[in-house]
Amino acid sequence: MRLTIDTETDTYEQAIAAVQAAYGLRPVVPAGWPEAAAVDPRPDPQDLSSDDIGDGWSDQVLFRMVASLMPGARAVLRRIAGVGGTASYDEVQQYFADHQADPIPPTKIGGTLTSVQAVQRRVGPAGAGRLLQRDERGRLYRIDRTLVEGLTRAFAMADARPDLLRGEPVGRVT
């Protein structure tokens, strides 16, 4: 939630009323205070299309896939989709080795991406081909073009609703 109070134009009463309204309290609105603008509802994964875009995949299924991935695998999948759906092993390794916020050592990329297949078996459409295909001979990662477009929409929803994404695993309690 973001609340902005202009200390030069808003009165103390208006500021208090804005804070109360933000927390769902029913404040007494000061006389002469304009009506608050209508709040846009939060986007929801159900807003995404459930129509098949190829091989049983839909925007909603792709979002569930993205939301279920570990953050590292999600970042790598986003990168591959972001460069058009085809990237070399070396390009992906180098990008994440030098990544400022979330570096992944080159030796760990393959292990990071094993969760993509595991998550697909759990939340992906039955009998669908692999979302992320690996060409060992050409050393390429590839995602079908129609699925790249769906992933772009799924990542946009993920950006709007990060509260729905799987986070880092919690350490074991002994």
Side-chain angles (χ1 to χ4, degrees):
M1 169 185 346
R2 180 172 292 178
L3 178 65
T4 304
I5 298 172
D6 185 344
T7 57
E8 292 182 14
T9 60
D10 294 339
T11 66
Y12 173 79
E13 291 80 18
Q14 289 172 328
I16 295 298
V19 171
Q20 289 173 334
Y23 284 95
L25 303 173
R26 302 249 182 232
V28 175
V29 179
W33 198 30
E35 281 294 315
V39 177
D40 290 334
R42 291 179 69 185
D44 187 82
Q46 297 305 317
D47 297 337
L48 294 170
S49 173
S50 61
D51 296 339
D52 188 329
I53 59 175
D55 206 16
W57 292 99
S58 70
D59 288 351
Q60 286 183 9
V61 174
L62 286 169
F63 176 78
R64 282 196 307 270
M65 177 82 184
V66 165
S68 299
L69 289 171
M70 294 297 293
R74 187 180 314 122
V76 175
L77 194 64
R78 181 188 291 251
R79 174 68 182 168
I80 295 167
V83 296
T86 302
S88 72
Y89 286 12
D90 294 333
E91 177 187 348
V92 171
Q93 289 173 349
Q94 188 61 46
Y95 178 83
F96 283 98
D98 297 335
H99 200 269
Q100 295 283 344
D102 300 309
I104 302 172
T107 57
K108 301 280 186 182
I109 293 287
T112 299
L113 290 176
T114 58
S115 69
V116 174
Q117 293 171 356
V119 169
Q120 181 177 339
R121 283 192 299 273
R122 189 169 46 84
V123 301
R130 289 184 174 180
L131 172 65
L132 178 63
Q133 301 164 27
R134 299 179 194 192
D135 177 355
E136 298 293 336
R137 179 171 278 175
R139 297 187 46 81
L140 293 172
Y141 295 111
R142 192 173 78 70
I143 303 169
D144 289 340
R145 175 46 100 194
T146 56
L147 298 181
V148 167
E149 294 168 9
L151 279 170
T152 301
R153 293 185 291 271
F155 281 120
M157 176 64 67
D159 291 342
R161 293 292 307 272
D163 57 307
L164 299 176
L165 303 179
R166 179 178 180 180
E168 292 292 342
V170 178
R172 284 186 148 169
V173 177
T174 55

